[in-house]
Amino acid sequence: MGYNSVILIVDDEPAGRETLDALLFMEGYELAFANNGAEALMKAAYLVPDLILLDIMMPGMDGFEVCRRLRSDALLAEVPVVIVTALDDRESRLRGLEMGADDFLTKPYDRAELRARVRTITRLNRYRRLLSERSKFEWMVDHADDGFVMVGDEDELRYANARARIYLGLPVDQAEPLAGAFMEAARQQYGCEPWEAWASWPRSDAGPRYLVRPETATDATLWLQVDRIEMTSLSDERYLIRLRDVTQSVIDRSVRWTFHSFVNHKLRTPLAQLTGFLDILATCNGSLSEAEKKRVLATVRHSARSLQDRLLSIFDYIDPAKPVEAAQPHCHLSQIGPMVADLAASLDLKPCPVTYDGIVDPEEVSLPLSRHTVDMILQELIENAQKFHPDRSPQLEIALYSQLNQVRIRIQDDGRPLSPDQLLRIWQPYYQAEKCFTGEVVGMGLGLSSVAEQIWSVGGSCRAYNRRDGRGLVIELTTPWATQPSPAYA
């Protein structure tokens, strides 16, 4: 039968212990034995058995006293105790009940009755323990900082703890039944990103999934990381879902990325000019004329001053004493062309045409992001196109579309296409689109995920796919029109 329930047999007579051992051994129980009352209490505290078969007539501490002490112990008070006795009088039975016994067995035993009673009691005790443990688990889950949801095979809601009900806008009363599907509840408040990872929900684990609630006039941005595991039980609860608030870590990562990009953009050109002309001076071996030396030194001086100015601007950027503006101006679409031209020039790329489709006046349409953030996004995408191009000289085409109060930025290159797996994982943090993670690709793989985080945080979406008219990659970023100031950290 193999329930693996633990039964403690207490009897001072070896014959009594051997008889019960013979009757129960083949039933698959784990049997333990005690010779007297003191040993019984010690072993019961150590084993916390599923059942105690307790003989009454023992020298010293009899079975009644053992039962009384068991019932006064908080750890053992719920353990079923069956008194085994040759006494068949009413007084002994009443005393046993007063001491807390659950049942009686009279010697000599009816084998079938003994096995049936033991089987029933151990099953009920295991069930009681499971209910107790589940009650403790549910209390712990209901007081957890994370949201926990159980859904059925078709994503139908079966259970949600208190935090998950708040996150999903479900009835807060745990006694109130749940209705509908998890995704149905999630989409009412959140964007499901990245779209590619959610396409197979809930049946496959396609990588990190997020629920993103964009900032509004009354609520801050909220990021929930969604993890799910498949449950092995045969109940209707097929998947366990955890909703974890990762808003602060996303913001911190965004701040690190924007600052890194800002510093890189500010310092690259003057540093390259300064070191280049210093190399000329170091290797000319006196071959330069005085006029040429003056021109080189003038350029070096200009580059040094430019580097100094840019370093000072960085110090201003990170100066904690400076007041932080509550909001930064939104980026107008008319500003994107000059940004692209500046970035292309700083990277020694061919001119990148920027076209407008469905946009009459780019000055009248704004993105819900600051100019600084849009500049960092464009820098990341253009640098990626250069980094992964076979000749490091991509021909970029950038088009801006506006339709139904949305803006779409489409960046197309003529570099290497990506595999389906790379396209699926391109927006994941710490992922780099190379054949193996060799560390040869510069950077830590946070760039595109940070771009996605900025876009998702304002209610937008990101798509990446291979060109259909030739080699190359297409990145599409879609955002709503700006309706309010962008977040101060953007």
Side-chain angles (χ1 to χ4, degrees):
M1 308 222 356
Y3 297 113
N4 293 324
S5 295
V6 177
I7 300 176
L8 176 60
I9 297 171
V10 185
D11 197 328
D12 65 315
E13 293 290 340
R17 298 194 299 270
E18 291 168 3
T19 299
L20 290 173
D21 185 12
L23 290 172
L24 298 175
F25 175 75
M26 296 304 294
E27 297 293 300
Y29 302 114
E30 294 183 20
L31 303 178
F33 302 91
N35 300 326
N36 53 60
E39 185 181 5
L41 293 174
M42 181 184 67
K43 288 194 173 181
Y46 173 73
L47 296 170
V48 190
D50 294 284
L51 172 63
I52 298 175
L53 297 177
L54 177 62
D55 187 43
I56 287 294
M57 304 301 293
M58 294 187 296
M61 189 188 305
D62 63 17
F64 294 123
E65 178 62 16
V66 172
C67 188
R68 186 190 69 78
R69 295 194 184 189
L70 289 170
R71 290 297 176 250
S72 64
D73 187 317
L75 179 66
L76 304 172
E78 299 295 326
V79 175
V81 176
V82 174
I83 288 181
V84 178
T85 179
L87 303 176
D88 196 18
D89 61 284
R90 182 173 179 271
E91 183 179 346
S92 296
R93 288 179 177 269
L94 287 175
R95 187 180 176 194
L97 291 173
E98 289 174 357
M99 295 299 105
D102 295 280
D103 202 353
F104 292 87
L105 283 172
T106 304
K107 300 177 182 178
Y109 309 113
D110 181 302
R111 297 187 177 189
E113 180 185 6
L114 170 69
R115 289 171 177 155
R117 287 197 186 188
V118 168
R119 187 182 307 122
T120 300
I121 291 171
T122 53
R123 280 179 176 173
L124 289 174
N125 189 54
R126 278 297 176 93
Y127 180 67
R128 178 190 61 78
R129 284 191 177 183
L130 287 173
L131 288 178
S132 175
E133 292 303 316
R134 176 161 183 164
S135 176
K136 294 175 184 176
F137 171 76
E138 288 181 352
W139 183 92
M140 181 184 68
V141 168
D142 266 342
H143 289 78
D145 291 334
D146 294 339
F148 290 94
V149 181
M150 291 180 182
V151 300
D153 192 52
E154 299 301 322
D155 198 38
E156 64 273 22
L157 290 164
R158 299 292 189 189
Y159 166 82
N161 73 341
R163 183 56 62 94
R165 287 172 178 256
I166 293 172
Y167 284 152
L168 298 175
L170 301 172
V172 294
D173 185 355
Q174 290 283 354
E176 192 166 342
L178 300 174
F182 171 78
M183 282 296 293
E184 178 185 346
R187 282 176 173 157
Q188 290 181 11
Q189 299 185 65
Y190 302 93
C192 301
E193 302 294 348
W195 177 84
E196 294 84 356
W198 285 97
S200 56
W201 177 266
R203 287 179 174 77
S204 71
D205 198 358
R209 295 181 173 101
Y210 299 96
L211 296 178
V212 186
R213 186 186 66 202
E215 183 179 30
T216 67
T218 56
D219 293 307
T221 302
L222 177 63
W223 283 75
L224 298 177
Q225 181 170 316
V226 181
D227 303 300
R228 76 109 180 95
I229 61 172
E230 188 167 355
M231 301 174 70
T232 57
S233 68
L234 298 179
S235 67
D236 290 338
E237 298 159 349
R238 177 69 182 277
Y239 301 103
L240 174 64
I241 302 165
R242 182 181 71 169
L243 307 175
R244 184 159 58 96
D245 185 349
V246 294
T247 305
Q248 192 57 51
S249 64
V250 170
I251 291 174
D252 291 343
R253 191 164 63 216
S254 172
V255 169
R256 290 195 300 271
W257 169 73
T258 53
F259 178 69
H260 171 270
S261 300
F262 175 74
V263 172
N264 181 49
H265 186 45
K266 286 282 186 181
L267 300 185
R268 176 183 304 204
T269 300
L271 273 176
Q273 292 173 346
L274 185 60
T275 56
F277 283 105
L278 286 174
D279 285 342
I280 292 174
L281 287 176
T283 57
C284 67
N285 296 322
S287 61
L288 293 178
S289 67
E290 288 301 318
E292 289 172 329
K293 287 181 181 178
K294 287 182 179 180
R295 284 196 298 271
V296 172
L297 285 172
T299 305
V300 169
R301 186 180 300 111
H302 174 77
S303 298
R305 286 177 176 170
S306 176
L307 180 60
Q308 180 186 42
D309 291 342
R310 297 191 181 204
L311 282 170
L312 289 174
S313 72
I314 292 171
F315 295 150
D316 286 340
Y317 182 82
I318 62 175
D319 184 1
K322 288 188 63 178
V324 179
E325 297 182 6
Q328 300 178 30
H330 290 138
C331 179
H332 295 288
L333 296 192
S334 60
Q335 296 173 302
I336 291 180
M339 287 186 203
V340 170
D342 179 57
L343 287 167
S346 68
L347 295 170
D348 294 325
L349 295 177
K350 307 168 190 174
C352 305
V354 177
T355 59
Y356 297 86
D357 188 352
I359 302 171
V360 177
D361 185 357
E363 281 285 350
E364 295 298 320
V365 181
S366 299
L367 300 173
L369 297 164
S370 69
R371 186 188 187 285
H372 171 69
T373 299
V374 175
D375 194 25
M376 295 303 98
I377 289 173
L378 292 171
Q379 179 184 342
E380 186 68 44
L381 297 177
I382 292 173
E383 284 184 347
N384 267 344
Q386 182 184 48
K387 182 165 57 178
F388 292 104
H389 191 273
D391 303 322
R392 298 185 66 83
S393 59
Q395 177 61 62
L396 294 165
E397 299 175 20
I398 300 177
L400 280 71
Y401 307 86
S402 180
Q403 187 177 14
L404 299 176
N405 295 333
Q406 286 190 322
V407 176
R408 178 175 299 173
I409 303 174
R410 184 173 182 269
I411 302 176
Q412 176 177 283
D413 64 41
D414 59 348
R416 292 197 300 261
L418 297 181
S419 69
D421 180 63
Q422 290 171 332
L423 290 171
L424 180 66
R425 300 170 62 193
I426 194 172
W427 307 112
Q428 295 180 15
Y430 307 107
Y431 176 70
Q432 293 176 311
E434 53 177 328
K435 184 176 181 181
C436 305
F437 190 82
T438 62
E440 295 174 1
V441 175
V442 178
M444 293 184 62
L446 287 175
L448 288 180
S449 69
S450 296
V451 168
E453 287 165 5
Q454 297 291 339
I455 300 299
W456 296 340
S457 289
V458 296
S461 61
C462 305
R463 299 288 180 268
Y465 55 91
N466 293 320
R467 290 180 59 170
R468 298 176 180 86
D469 59 348
R471 290 175 59 85
L473 185 69
V474 179
I475 299 287
E476 289 188 352
L477 311 176
T478 302
T479 76
W481 285 5
T483 56
Q484 60 188 39
S486 57
Y489 65 82

